[in-house]
Amino acid sequence: MPDTQNWWSTIAPAAPEMYLATVICVILLIDVFAGGSRRPRLTGTLTLIALAVGAWVTLEYGSVGGRTPLFGGLYIADPLALVLKLSALLYVAVALLYSRPALARRGTGGEYHVLALTALLGIYVLASAGNLLSLYIGVELLALSLYAMIAFDRESPVSAEAAMKYFVLGSIASGMLLYGISLVYGLTGTLALDEVALRLTAEPSLGMVAGVAFVVVAIAFKFGAVPFHMWVPDVYHGAPTTVTLFLSTAPKFAYFALAYRLLSQGLDGISPTWTQMLAIIGVLSLIVGNVFAIAQANLKRMLAYSAIANVGFILLGFTTGTAAGYSAALYYTIVYVLATLGAFGVILLASRRGFEADELEDYKGLQARDPMLALWMMMMMFSTAGVPPFVGFWAKLAIFEALWQVGAVWLIVIGALAAVVGAFYYIRVVKLMYFDDAPSAPRGEASGALRLVLGVNALATLALGVVPASLFDLCKAVLG
Amino acid sequence: MLVMILFYAFSAVLIAAALGVITTRNPVYSALCLVLAFFTSACIWILIEAEFLAIVLVLVYVGAVMVLFLFVVMMLDINVEELRSGFTRYAWLGWLTAFVVILELVGVLAARRLGVDATQGTVPVPADYSNTHELGTVLYTQYVYAFELAAVLLLVAIVAAIALTMRRRQGLKVQDISAQVAVRREDRVRLVRIEPEKRP
């Protein structure tokens, strides 16, 4: 029937979302009837298979030449969305892979995987949002899944506290976002981001500035940037490490999409208002994140402050208001999340039943006990610190280059100083692993296959650092 | 004429029910009065041909929200005295709110006199016009993407709620009826011969 084909071709680019929504329902049902307590690992395996198929569906249907609006502009398919979706999918899959032993040890139910998939769907929706309505639904879909995942370990009061904090502060952030959206909608009369961009006046009214301020606050909340960072250390520390790993990786792409779609596309016409706000937030994040990270004795908390500091770099990329800045920010996000994924992966693989390797003390003399794991951890730390030839160096350089082009020298100076301070605590981890005496801590019980994946993850930071051009050119191309 | 009579009848019930909500001392009666208030509001909405909204009000608020509310009120042992203790302290806030609400009502009622006609430019709908149909058309065509995603959002909420609250606890004391019925005397009673104690 030609009519059916015609109808399908109008919605085909949204096939990844449809596929994910369908697969969520199917896996949920299989988990209820065939998995659950009887076959605890079944849902996890199915989820990984579903993600592998999902990668194909995303690549097959999501790759469109240019900007293709669907569903009356609620949905935008463009190369940026494709890159964000594929990165998020890859990171979710690897995060779930690293989490497998820990989840099996705790006997976590199959709903965990379903919630991970719904979170991924939220990221997909945000990556393709072309309308304030779909943008908000994407934010909520992601946030609700994350709240539940953090609270998943019901026996632990720390994780319940973390979930409560994240829930309350996240709800406030959602309220802020909604209020900002309502002001933008009220003053432009449209929810479609393209239309918003067209109807902006060159000189923004006071109400519009207030709306932008609320939106920026919400974005900073979601990213965990100073002064809205209070939840980050507690949630990273309190949540089970599997969830911290999830939380600190793929959702960053969603928040990148949120910031880009809303600020750089919708509110591009009044960029001076929000670049100033983002510059202040970015600088504060760099300073607070790096300085507080030095004082941490817990590796998860240290990585939380490191996340705050790195978010500062991403936001600095946005402050330029140029395509070069956005592509540098995207590059930084992909690269930073790659190293974070590996670092939390090391924590998970170094842990075993009844022993959580999350204190810095636990890494003393890791080289003697488990040389391979220590080597991978060292590569992650060097990459995050920005030591050449690792890819983290190029990411920081790209941000500085974009800032240089717009003449923001003082931001470069602060960023460079912050990077130097940051290098201290990353390299301290390496020092603990290689030069301190080993207490007799137990070795992690992870399988060889997972160690291999972690090795690939670590070598990727090196390989992308040696040949940085291809990924960077890709980021430039999709945001060009 | 009939519409007017119905309107005044429903309005009278609505006002009485609303007064009941704030004057009855028992929170359960208060909640039931609120149900009545919602129901009569729905009736008034039907009079102005907003039948979809009316049905949604009954289904969602009366059917779901208020029933849940009643459950909570009945399950919690609310101490009315404790609730009343802050009454005078917060009375000014109540007066302030009431004042603002009255101002807003006056504003709405006086709007037409001040020359603002909210009904300006509206066209009367034809007789076969259906709110439900029109809303459905928009929801399932223009906004189908957002509509389906909202459904997924609800699914996430259900999955999360069940995953976080349902638990099979170890060592739970549960009655096993068949074991209770099948019990024999020998399982429970042990006859012990106790020698009488000798007087010292």
Side-chain angles (χ1 to χ4, degrees):
Chain A
M1 281 192 297
D3 190 33
T4 318
Q5 271 186 352
N6 202 2
W7 167 80
W8 171 246
S9 69
T10 57
I11 58 165
E17 279 78 5
M18 292 183 244
Y19 165 77
L20 264 185
T22 316
V23 115
I24 286 165
C25 299
V26 171
I27 289 184
L28 197 58
L29 285 176
I30 292 179
D31 180 58
V32 169
F33 289 112
S37 53
R38 275 169 290 173
R39 266 176 274 165
R41 290 195 146 207
L42 177 69
T43 316
T45 315
L46 275 179
T47 309
L48 288 174
I49 297 171
L51 285 174
V53 178
W56 177 79
V57 174
T58 310
L59 203 56
E60 176 73 22
Y61 291 98
S63 45
V64 288
R67 203 177 143 77
T68 317
L70 271 79
F71 299 112
L74 281 169
Y75 183 98
I76 300 284
D78 60 1
L80 170 69
L82 180 68
V83 167
L84 287 173
K85 286 175 189 174
L86 280 179
S87 316
L89 182 119
L90 178 69
Y91 287 149
V92 164
V94 177
L96 287 179
L97 207 58
Y98 288 159
S99 311
R100 264 171 90 82
L103 292 178
R105 277 202 296 274
R106 277 213 318 272
T108 307
E111 299 90 356
Y112 183 90
H113 298 275
V114 175
L115 287 171
L117 284 178
T118 52
L120 182 64
L121 179 61
I123 298 171
Y124 267 47
V125 171
L126 260 175
S128 283
N131 187 300
L132 291 169
L133 185 64
S134 42
L135 196 83
Y136 182 73
I137 292 179
V139 168
E140 283 302 294
L141 200 52
L142 175 60
L144 267 184
S145 314
L146 290 180
Y147 301 147
M149 282 171 86
I150 295 171
F152 223 87
D153 194 2
R154 288 178 307 202
E155 311 300 322
S156 151
V158 194
S159 103
E161 187 195 325
M164 199 63 204
K165 268 185 187 148
Y166 191 48
F167 176 62
V168 171
L169 290 177
S171 309
I172 293 173
S174 289
M176 297 265 184
L177 181 64
L178 211 50
Y179 193 57
I181 285 177
S182 76
L183 282 175
V184 171
Y185 170 63
L187 289 168
T188 58
T190 175
L191 282 171
L193 283 167
D194 297 346
E195 280 292 305
V196 169
L198 288 179
R199 292 188 196 176
L200 284 177
T201 48
E203 194 60 38
S205 61
L206 192 63
M208 187 53 100
V209 174
V212 170
F214 275 107
V215 166
V216 167
V217 167
I219 291 172
F221 244 122
K222 291 287 173 193
F223 259 126
V226 180
F228 312 103
H229 66 293
M230 292 307 185
W231 60 271
V232 181
D234 289 342
V235 171
Y236 272 45
H237 182 204
T241 311
T242 53
V243 182
T244 313
L245 167 68
F246 192 92
L247 183 72
S248 60
T249 50
K252 294 277 186 285
F253 293 107
Y255 306 142
F256 178 89
L258 174 67
Y260 182 76
R261 299 274 185 218
L262 200 49
L263 297 179
S264 314
Q265 286 191 333
L267 301 170
D268 187 40
I270 50 169
S271 59
T273 48
W274 52 262
T275 50
Q276 282 169 11
M277 299 178 202
L278 284 184
I280 296 168
I281 291 173
V283 166
L284 284 176
S285 306
L286 282 172
I287 297 171
V288 171
N290 279 314
V291 170
F292 280 67
I294 295 173
Q296 303 307 318
N298 182 293
L299 186 57
K300 278 162 83 180
R301 277 191 101 82
M302 192 199 95
L303 288 173
Y305 280 104
S306 142
I308 296 172
N310 282 296
V311 158
F313 272 112
I314 297 171
L315 291 181
L316 283 194
F318 274 97
T319 59
T320 60
T322 59
Y326 304 141
S327 58
L330 176 62
Y331 185 59
Y332 197 97
T333 313
I334 295 177
V335 165
Y336 157 68
V337 170
L338 181 69
T340 312
L341 186 73
F344 279 107
V346 169
I347 297 183
L348 280 172
L349 297 200
S351 306
R352 56 184 294 119
R353 189 180 293 275
F355 168 70
E356 178 100 31
D358 63 344
E359 298 292 328
L360 281 178
E361 290 283 308
D362 300 332
Y363 289 84
K364 271 189 178 170
L366 184 69
Q367 198 266 335
R369 290 198 305 277
D370 198 339
M372 201 196 242
L373 214 54
L375 179 67
W376 301 149
M377 188 62 160
M378 182 183 75
M379 292 168 84
M380 306 301 176
M381 288 293 117
F382 278 164
S383 179
T384 322
V387 177
F390 293 96
V391 67
F393 168 74
W394 298 106
K396 286 196 169 62
L397 195 66
I399 296 278
F400 290 154
E401 198 187 340
L403 286 171
W404 181 256
Q405 280 170 6
V406 294
V409 180
W410 67 284
L411 288 177
I412 299 181
V413 172
I414 293 175
L417 285 177
V420 171
V421 175
F424 166 73
Y425 58 86
Y426 297 122
I427 292 173
R428 184 176 58 182
V429 176
V430 177
K431 178 231 165 207
L432 284 174
M433 292 189 305
Y434 278 86
F435 301 114
D436 279 19
D437 288 334
S440 59
R443 202 164 177 270
E445 59 184 5
S447 69
L450 280 185
R451 289 165 163 271
L452 190 69
V453 177
L454 191 66
V456 171
N457 184 346
L459 289 175
T461 62
L462 184 62
L464 287 173
V466 175
V467 215
S470 52
L471 182 61
F472 191 62
D473 288 344
L474 179 72
C475 293
K476 258 190 188 154
V478 297
L479 285 164
Chain B
M1 188 61 204
L2 179 67
V3 172
M4 286 308 268
I5 294 170
L6 281 175
F7 173 75
Y8 281 111
F10 286 136
S11 302
V13 177
L14 176 60
I15 290 171
L19 281 174
V21 175
I22 54 167
T23 50
T24 47
R25 284 175 174 273
N26 190 329
V28 177
Y29 292 159
S30 267
L32 287 173
C33 282
L34 196 56
V35 169
L36 182 61
F38 280 144
F39 197 80
T40 37
S41 314
C43 295
I44 293 176
W45 279 359
I46 285 186
L47 289 186
I48 57 168
E49 295 173 16
E51 74 281 352
F52 183 75
L53 275 181
I55 289 167
V56 166
L57 185 73
V58 171
L59 283 179
V60 175
Y61 276 85
V62 179
V65 175
M66 285 316 294
V67 169
L68 200 69
F69 203 80
L70 267 178
F71 266 116
V72 173
V73 166
M74 286 176 180
M75 276 188 198
L76 295 178
D77 189 16
I78 295 176
N79 187 345
V80 181
E81 285 308 308
E82 206 175 293
L83 279 180
R84 298 253 162 88
S85 64
F87 187 75
T88 45
R89 197 146 56 96
Y90 296 116
W92 65 272
L93 202 62
W95 283 114
L96 188 71
T97 317
F99 181 68
V100 171
V101 170
I102 288 171
L103 267 189
E104 285 174 353
L105 282 177
V106 169
V108 169
L109 294 176
R112 192 169 291 176
R113 190 160 299 173
L114 292 172
V116 184
D117 191 1
T119 56
Q120 204 175 33
T122 52
V123 200
V125 291
D128 58 347
Y129 182 86
S130 160
N131 271 317
T132 319
H133 184 262
E134 290 300 313
L135 274 171
T137 310
V138 174
L139 271 186
Y140 285 99
T141 56
Q142 198 180 348
Y143 289 105
V144 66
Y145 180 63
F147 185 70
E148 293 294 332
L149 284 174
V152 178
L153 202 58
L154 287 178
L155 178 72
V156 172
I158 295 170
V159 171
I162 292 175
L164 293 182
T165 52
M166 200 179 85
R167 59 175 76 199
R168 292 190 186 82
R169 263 186 295 181
Q170 301 293 315
L172 207 60
K173 305 256 187 293
V174 187
Q175 277 185 317
D176 186 349
I177 308 286
S178 57
Q180 284 178 331
V181 171
V183 79
R184 289 167 305 156
R185 195 194 70 155
E186 293 78 51
D187 299 337
R188 297 283 168 89
V189 185
R190 185 162 57 95
L191 290 178
V192 182
R193 178 174 291 279
I194 301 175
E195 295 297 328
E197 221 169 285
K198 289 203 180 78
R199 214 174 272 274

